Amino acid sequence: VANPSIHKSVAGYYSGKLQEHGPTPQGVDWNSAESQEVRFRQVLGVCDPSAPFSLIDYGCGFGALVGFLRVHGIDCTYQGFDIAADMVAAARAEYAENSSVSFASDAATLSPADYVVASGIFSVKLDADAAAWKEYMLQTLHAMNDICTRGFAFNALTSYSDTDKMRPDLYYADPCEVFDYCKRNFSKQVALLHDYGLYEFTIHVRKEK
Ligand SMILES: C[S@@+](CC[C@H](N)C(=O)[O-])C[C@H]1O[C@@H](n2cnc3c(N)ncnc32)[C@H](O)[C@@H]1O
């Protein structure tokens, strides 16, 4: 199980954002709906939409991805997971649970799925030190890998950000290092996307040959 003290402080941070801004992009600490959607598009690229699939949204916030999937007619069975119990409560209030949409605050209750996507869970490290956060990020990637059969995708802030804009409470991952780690530990089929205009990158790990 990944670091409980990190989970506690991260959950507290996002609960605070939700209390302040409600179920809006700002309530999950994004600066706009546009950037939230750009990220959704990038992570969902790992999924093959030609047939219905099952999806786990790891760090689902208030479940905005459910709305995105519906608007774009993407046919999938969705499980949202978030360590902040308030986020899960907000998600349930926004999107009623049914046979194809469910939310959980305990990872142990998730059923394995075709794909896992995670948007925004590796950026805010608060006062954790960078080495501990990196370890936590890798452990979390293993947890994501363990609950999917076809692949997973995630994003992270990039170490190629402008130095004068970098903040000590955020974690900037080295995309080359993370790519290498995924290639060596998870699958030969790994894509690094670092061309969509934000100070971050997305990685797709595809288990299919
Ligand atoms: C930046 S928000 C993004 C929410 C959502 N993915 C979106 O784009 O609308 C990150 C969310 O991930 C949750 N989170 C952070 N670390 C997590 C972890 N290790 N496991 C599960 N949820 C996590 C936070 O509580 C927060 O709600």
Side-chain angles (χ1 to χ4, degrees):
V1 176
N3 198 315
S5 72
I6 287 186
H7 277 179
K8 194 161 178 258
S9 47
V10 168
Y13 173 82
Y14 285 104
S15 293
K17 291 287 164 189
L18 180 68
Q19 268 167 32
E20 208 180 321
H21 303 286
T24 62
Q26 287 73 23
V28 283
D29 211 20
W30 294 135
N31 50 28
S32 68
E34 290 72 29
S35 72
Q36 184 181 33
E37 292 195 0
V38 167
R39 295 178 175 102
F40 286 159
R41 274 181 217 287
Q42 297 296 327
V43 292
L44 285 173
V46 76
C47 306
D48 171 4
S50 64
F53 57 88
S54 55
L55 180 68
I56 292 172
D57 182 9
Y58 211 98
C60 62
F62 64 88
L65 182 58
V66 176
F68 184 92
L69 293 164
R70 286 185 182 159
V71 165
H72 295 279
I74 300 168
D75 188 2
C76 69
T77 305
Y78 171 99
Q79 296 177 79
F81 163 57
D82 204 289
I83 47 169
D86 299 359
M87 283 293 182
V88 170
R92 288 186 176 130
E94 287 291 301
Y95 303 98
E97 290 183 294
N98 57 42
S99 57
S100 57
V101 174
S102 61
F103 298 99
S105 56
D106 177 1
T109 67
L110 293 169
S111 306
D114 293 323
Y115 301 104
V116 177
V117 295
S119 181
I121 70 170
F122 298 127
S123 306
V124 180
K125 71 173 186 57
L126 304 169
D127 59 3
D129 80 51
W133 189 266
K134 180 173 164 183
E135 194 51 40
Y136 161 74
M137 174 172 173
L138 299 180
Q139 274 175 26
T140 307
L141 293 180
H142 280 276
M144 289 164 50
N145 179 56
D146 289 347
I147 49 167
C148 66
T149 53
R150 299 177 67 187
F152 63 98
F154 59 93
N155 53 34
L157 294 172
T158 177
S159 57
Y160 291 82
S161 299
D162 301 333
T163 324
D164 57 330
K165 300 232 178 70
M166 288 167 122
R167 280 170 31 190
D169 57 329
L170 301 181
Y171 181 69
Y172 300 87
D174 178 340
C176 305
E177 205 173 279
V178 183
F179 174 85
D180 183 70
Y181 189 88
C182 290
K183 195 95 167 131
R184 290 176 193 282
N185 288 274
F186 301 128
S187 174
K188 288 185 174 163
Q189 311 303 328
V190 180
L192 168 60
L193 311 173
H194 204 329
D195 63 347
Y196 54 97
L198 301 176
Y199 290 96
E200 63 174 49
F201 61 92
T202 293
I203 284 188
H204 293 171
V205 175
R206 238 180 265 282
K207 299 188 182 189
E208 287 137 309
K209 299 205 172 63

